[in-house]
Amino acid sequence: MSRSINFYAGPSVLPVEVLEELRDQMVDFKDSGLSLVETSHRSGIYDDVHNRAIELMKELLGVPEGYSILFLGGGATMQFSMIPLNLMGDGGSCDFTVTGTWAKKACDDAKKVGKVNVLFDGAEGGYSTLPDPASLKPSAGSSYLHLTSNETIGGIQWKNWPDTGDVPLVCDMSSDILSRPVPVDKFGLIYAGAQKNLGPSGLAIVIIRDDLLERSPASLTAYLNYGTHAKANSLYNTPPVFPIWAMQLVLERVKSLGGMDYVVAHNRKKADLLYTAIEGSGGFYRSPVDPEVRSDMNVVFRLPTEDLEASFIKEATGKGMMGMKGHRSVGGCRASIYNSMTIEGVEALTVFMKEFAGRNS
Ligand SMILES: Cc1ncc(COP(=O)(O)O)c(C=O)c1O
């Protein structure tokens, strides 16, 4: 079997060892005589997987006491609704930084629930930079300040965090969770869709400081209320069993490779390789974003013309390098190099980039 090199932005590359383990255990999970995906989520067999995934997440991310980890359906997009519904309260307000397509979507949903103060809007600059975190001051009475740690489409990433005092910092980490250490205690709530660094789609992870669970209005329906899930250890209803199982295996593998130290070194090397290839191309490849905040997960780049971009993507696909077309809203090229992308995969891309530039300059 020959596997392609997967640069898709999400769903995205998973470790082949994890896919093989899922395949091997799919029909008869650990000699139980059943697949895990046809076993009750109230069974001891599933319980072990579920609780181990929570334990590994806590350990790898360094989640302190006083936080709950929730596994929810509906992807990260569901959190665009659940966060304002639970945290803002009737007649409340919150602060937003609108740094790209994803922050804007979250912001637009929050506006349907309460008043939103936009502290930074990068639309005019084409979402190519971020504000200085020290310049962000929460508004009076704000329920929380929302950031998107990594803009998957624009290719920009926060490198430092604002100090928000008593106002909880809320962050969408969908496209860079577990890619670098994060001071979890600085955040009131962190959320992420699983389908980039953690596993298959259909699962969102929410890490919430326990005092914030008190804020949810009693009028909320059961599923939308964080308290429902926190009280039930994310087993109020049937959880997304398959993505949680796959995520547990991904986390197990990260731990066995050396945890966050391994992840940081591995990701640094890949991002450096790719940005060096862009910068060393004599201007053939060009990063359209502020170098101070360029993303280590989604590397966006342009070529001299759109025709060349189309040829580049076509030829790369022909060589088994998949998913490098930039998002339809911005064009260009994008290589997503999440945790499970190998260094060899990025090296193969840089070799191709050099060769392509040589032929087309
Ligand atoms: C930063 C960010 N937030 C939110 C989402 C939406 O996630 P989901 O499709 O799981 O709802 C995405 C999806 O790619 C994303 O990249």
Side-chain angles (χ1 to χ4, degrees), residues 217-240:
S219 57
L220 273 184
T221 53
Y223 194 91
L224 293 180
N225 191 317
Y226 286 132
T228 305
H229 303 286
K231 275 191 216 112
N233 191 31
S234 301
L235 290 164
Y236 170 73
N237 69 328
T238 319

Side-chain angles (χ1 to χ4, degrees), residues 13-15 196-197 250 253 266-267 270 338-342:
V13 57
L14 286 170
K196 288 114 176 23
N197 275 331
V250 168
R253 180 171 174 276
H266 180 73
N267 286 342
K270 290 182 297 179
Y338 299 120
N339 283 3
S340 304
M341 166 58 66
T342 60

